[in-house]
Structures are given as structure tokens and as C-alpha cells.
């Protein structure tokens, strides 16, 4: 006897194949089952491409008539870049639908289920909901708040240092941990560092993975006054992807003109009382640009600013089994910090895994 959850697991596995490539849409997988056998499957590959349901129904053909559809998200019932999936499901002759989680998009929000039910299709939801929600946490957050989901990531020693007292930081973690970090870059829409890190490390912030196709997220540099040199690797024209400098009126106009001449976009934002870029205004602008996720890689001052503004949703902390020591050696999160333990940011639903010779602790900010 076949099990419903086995088919939903397959739909979720398919959805993961599109993760990171569908912005601003969610990642969705679908499976068509007839008489206990998968007769069609598909996933949403990119925005503007057919939705997962349509791909699966096309693959099934006539075998979809009288079949059951398993899909990781409530089918849409509105015209966007593509026609409504509900109508395709009805026309294909599907008699039963299992979907994992409701779509918070106000254009969908229960309308998909209602349309299917009104056509006489038996509809069930909730199967695989936890994994489906985690899969599309970036999308759900962006839809509900209008701003990208923020992941704070850092690599530190076991005693919480991100560099030695002399500033030496490459590399604290091993190659496996660094590859996992690049895997995260592949999934997000944008990656951000501050001017201090840009000057000290001169990074590229590209995605480097042993695979034929990778996504390079939008590179964002917080530089309120134009401290990062124009010769920085982030500003070179031959670098794949795009770079954006978030700045304030304190940046000289000549520096702005030089950046734009090099193909780097500058975004003028309000300044805080201390002259830093207003992070809330930045996230609002990124939301208007339909960016659903932002990876903040530091350094400590930048991470501290995002934490103190209450903007961090998730933490990826790579810990290396070494002790650096030294009171002058910096930690990963700066700022004022908590005055008492009750004021500290606590993570929930934490997981710990071994990544090569290092450890990855993941959790969600409570």
C-alpha cells in the first residue's frame, strides 16, 4: 500500500532543486500519482517558467485524469506571469490534491483551495508542512513583512574569536565549512559586508562551488562615507554578478561618480545619528526590489548593528576546534551587546552538525 507522505517527500525533494533560482517566487515541487504510481513530476525552475503543477501535469499527460496531485504549496488561482495552476489542475482531470502549506501571498491565500474544492476536487493540506515551510522561509517572510529574510553567518574559533589579535583570519575554518558557506551564497538573493571587512579582506563575495552552474548573489557593501578603495576587487568589472554600495550623503560625489563609471550601483540612504547607513531603510529598499533573502557576513560591527536593530532571523555559526585567545582578538558580533543574560538574543530550533573538521550551529532568533 502506497503512503501519501512518500509522494509528498518526493515533491519536496523536487522543490529543493529549484531553491535559490525562483526569486521572487517560492520553490515548489509537484508529483502526479495514478493507481499508486508516479506518472508525472516537476518543479518550478525560475520566475516566469511553468509552475511545478503544470510541469508535472504535462509530464503525466492523459495519465493525470483521475489521479492525485501532491504539491508543496497551495496552487495559485490568479494570473501572474503564468496562468492559474488551479485551472490546469481542473482541466487535467485531477480528482484529489494534497498540498503541504498555504500560500501567504494575498493573491492566493486560500483561493486556490476554494477553487479546487468548488470544482469537486478533494483537497487536503498539512502533509509535509514543516519541511515545506522551512524550504520557503525566505519567501514567506518577504511576503509577510515586505523585506528580505536575514541570515547572519560567521566563522569563529571555539573561544569565539574571528581573528587573532594581529588581525589574521584566513582561514579559521576548513575547506568543507567554506564550501558550505558558498552553498548558502548560492541560495540567497544578496550578500552584505561592511566597509571595514571590504578594506581588510578585499573579498570577491562570489559563489565558488564544484558545480557547473552557480548563482552569484547581489553584493552589497555598507560604506557610508566612501572609505572602500575604488581598486577593491568588489568593484572590478570582470567580477560575475552585480555590486551595490549602500551609502549616505557623506560619500563624496566624485567617489559616487567613479563607482558608477566602474558599473557599481550606489544607493543613497538616510544616515543614523552616528552617521551609519540606516539598516531599516536599506531592507525596505531591498524588499521593494523583490529581494527575499539577505546573507550578512560581517564583520562584527555590522553584525552587531543588525542584531541590535532586531533584524536577524537566522544564524549560521561555523565553529573551528581551535583556541585563539587574547583579549584584543575580535569576536563575531560587536555593538553594545546585552547588559544581562535576559537581554541576550536566544536561538530556537537549533541544530548542530559536523562539517569536515568544524561544526555548524544553526538556529532561529527568538
Amino acid at each position: 500500500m502506497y503512503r501519501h507522505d512518500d509522494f509528498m517527500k518526493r515533491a519536496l525533494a523536487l522543490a529543493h532543486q529549484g531553491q535559490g533560482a525562483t526569486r521572487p517566487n517560492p520553490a515548489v515541487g509537484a508529483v502526479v500519482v495514478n493507481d499508486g504510481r508516479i506518472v508525472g513530476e516537476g518543479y518550478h525552475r525560475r520566475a516566469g517558467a511553468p509552475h511545478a503543477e503544470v510541469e508535472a501535469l504535462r509530464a503525466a499527460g492523459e495519465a493525470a485524469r483521475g489521479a492525485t496531485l501532491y504539491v508543496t504549496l497551495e496552487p495559485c488561482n490568479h494570473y501572474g506571469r503564468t496562468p492559474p495552476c488551479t485551472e490546469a489542475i481542473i482541466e487535467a482531470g485531477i480528482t484529489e490534491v494534497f498540498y503541504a502549506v498555504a500560500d501567504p501571498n494575498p493573491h492566493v491565500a486560500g483561493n486556490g483551495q476554494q477553487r479546487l474544492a468548488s470544482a469537486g476536487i478533494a483537497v487536503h493540506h498539512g502533509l509535509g508542512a514543516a519541511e515545506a515551510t522551512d524550504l520557503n522561509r525566505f519567501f514567506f517572510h518577504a511576503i509577510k513583512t515586505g523585506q528580505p529574510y536575514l541570515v547572519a553567518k560567521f566563522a569563529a574559533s571555539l573561544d569565539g574569536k574571528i581573528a587573532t589579535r594581529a588581525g589574521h583570519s584566513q582561514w579559521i575554518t576548513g575547506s568543507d565549512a567554506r564550501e558550505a558557506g558558498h552553498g548558502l551564497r548560492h541560495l540567497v538573493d544578496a550578500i552584505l559586508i561592511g566597509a571595514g571587512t571590504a578594506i581588510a579582506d578585499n573579498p570577491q563575495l562570489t559563489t565558488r562551488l564544484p558545480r557547473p552552474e552557480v548563482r552569484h548573489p547581489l553584493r552589497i557593501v555598507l560604506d557610508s562615507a566612501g572609505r572602500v578603495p575604488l581598486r577593491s576587487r568588489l568593484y572590478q568589472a570582470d567580477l560575475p554578478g552585480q555590486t551595490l554600495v549602500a551609502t549616505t550623503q557623506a560619500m563624496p560625489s566624485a567617489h559616487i561618480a567613479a563607482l558608477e563609471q566602474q558599473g557599481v550601483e550606489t544607493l543613497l540612504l538616510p544616515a543614523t545619528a552616528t552617521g551609519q547607513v540606516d539598516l531599516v531603510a536599506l531592507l525596505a529598499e531591498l524588499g521593494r526590489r523583490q529581494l527575499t533573502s539577505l546573507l550578512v557576513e560581517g564583520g562584527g560591527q555590522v553584525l552587531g548593528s543588525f542584531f541590535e536593530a532586531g533584524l536577524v532571523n537566522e544564524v549560521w555559526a561555523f565553529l573551528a576546534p581551535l583556541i585563539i585567545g587574547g583579549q584584543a582578538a575580535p569576536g563575531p558580533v560587536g555593538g553594545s551587546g546585552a547588559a544581562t543574560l535576559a537581554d541576550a538574543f536566544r536561538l530556537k530550533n537549533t541544530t548542530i552538525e559536523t562539517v569536515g573538521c568544524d561544526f555548524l550551529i544553526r538556529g532561529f532568533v527568538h
Side-chain angles (χ1 to χ4, degrees), residues 74 77 86 99 108-121 123:
E74 178 185 5
N77 188 46
T86 51
Y99 71 87
V108 184
N111 294 330
Q113 174 169 333
Q114 293 173 12
R115 176 69 183 104
L116 295 174
S118 69
I121 296 175
V123 184

Side-chain angles (χ1 to χ4, degrees), residues 290-317:
Q290 294 189 305
L291 298 180
T292 61
S293 54
L294 174 64
L295 172 61
V296 179
E297 290 201 357
Q301 180 180 344
V302 169
L303 279 172
S305 296
F306 275 102
F307 271 104
E308 290 184 350
L311 300 174
V312 178
N313 302 107
E314 184 175 336
V315 174
W316 285 45

Side-chain angles (χ1 to χ4, degrees), residues 15 18 22-28 44 51 73 103 105 135-136 139-140:
T22 61
R23 180 184 67 84
N25 295 344
V28 183
H44 186 40
H51 287 187
L73 188 70
D103 191 334
N105 188 330
L135 169 71
N136 280 311
F139 169 76
F140 291 156

Side-chain angles (χ1 to χ4, degrees), residues 334-346:
S336 301
T340 68
L341 291 179
D343 298 327
F345 290 94
R346 293 191 178 273

Side-chain angles (χ1 to χ4, degrees), residues 124-138:
H124 318 273
H125 75 276
L127 185 66
E131 185 176 345
T133 301
D134 181 70
L135 169 71
N136 280 311
R137 62 194 184 282
F138 300 165

Side-chain angles (χ1 to χ4, degrees), residues 4 12 33 45-47 50 67 70 82 116 124 158 162 210 213 222 263 266 274 278 280 293 303 307 310 328 337:
H4 295 301
L12 286 163
V33 176
R45 298 174 185 272
R46 65 182 185 280
Y70 298 82
T82 58
L116 295 174
H124 318 273
L158 202 58
I162 61 172
E213 295 184 8
L222 294 180
T266 55
T274 57
D278 186 312
V280 174
S293 54
L303 279 172
F307 271 104

Side-chain angles (χ1 to χ4, degrees), residues 96-176:
E96 189 172 23
V97 171
F98 287 82
Y99 71 87
V101 65
D103 191 334
N105 188 330
H107 293 297
V108 184
N111 294 330
Q113 174 169 333
Q114 293 173 12
R115 176 69 183 104
L116 295 174
S118 69
I121 296 175
V123 184
H124 318 273
H125 75 276
L127 185 66
E131 185 176 345
T133 301
D134 181 70
L135 169 71
N136 280 311
R137 62 194 184 282
F138 300 165
F139 169 76
F140 291 156
H141 178 85
I143 285 290
K144 293 175 182 178
T145 67
Q147 65 185 34
Y149 183 99
L150 197 149
V151 181
K153 176 234 167 190
F154 59 84
S157 62
L158 202 58
D159 58 336
K161 308 294 185 179
I162 61 172
T164 68
R165 57 183 172 80
H168 185 235
S169 62
Q170 294 183 346
W171 299 99
I172 287 179
T173 53
S175 58
D176 291 329

